[in-house]
Amino acid sequence: SYFKKIGWNIKNIENEINKVNNYTLGYFKANNLEGLLIGDAIKNDKDYDLELHILFVSKDQRRKQIATKLLNYVETNIIK
């Protein structure tokens, strides 16, 4: 329901994930998806930038640094 509220449906998510330059990360704990980052890796002169579309953390898991961990992972690992 969260994604519908921000204008994303299943088809939008499928299309995004199937793009060649898609960069999606999930944060799992005990096989439960607790955080999600969806974006596009955009090539620039020397490396890549990330165009971020969605950064989501489950309501009951917020304020536990999950979004920070996802962003830090991107910063240190994007397209290596």
Side-chain angles (χ1 to χ4, degrees), residues 3 5 10 12 17 22 28-29 33 35-37 41 44-45 52 54 57 60 62 65 67 74 78 80:
F3 295 103
K5 287 180 187 177
I10 292 292
N12 297 126
I17 290 172
N22 173 263
F28 292 86
K29 185 175 180 185
L33 180 63
L36 181 67
L37 179 148
N44 63 33
D45 292 334
L52 185 59
I54 295 175
V57 176
D60 62 330
R62 293 180 185 163
Q65 302 295 310
V74 169
I78 189 165
K80 288 189 176 182

Side-chain angles (χ1 to χ4, degrees), residues 11-69:
K11 190 66 176 166
N12 297 126
I13 294 170
E14 286 175 354
N15 287 341
E16 180 62 33
I17 290 172
N18 289 323
K19 288 169 61 175
V20 171
N21 65 331
N22 173 263
Y23 192 87
T24 297
L25 293 174
Y27 183 91
F28 292 86
K29 185 175 180 185
N31 290 326
N32 292 317
L33 180 63
E34 296 184 349
L36 181 67
L37 179 148
I38 299 175
D40 292 335
I42 309 293
K43 180 92 170 110
N44 63 33
D45 292 334
K46 296 181 181 178
D47 51 16
Y48 288 83
D49 293 323
L50 178 67
E51 182 177 302
L52 185 59
H53 300 300
I54 295 175
L55 180 57
F56 173 80
V57 176
S58 300
K59 197 169 194 173
D60 62 330
Q61 296 301 314
R62 293 180 185 163
R63 312 232 7 76
K64 295 182 179 180
Q65 302 295 310
I66 293 172
T68 300
K69 289 175 185 176

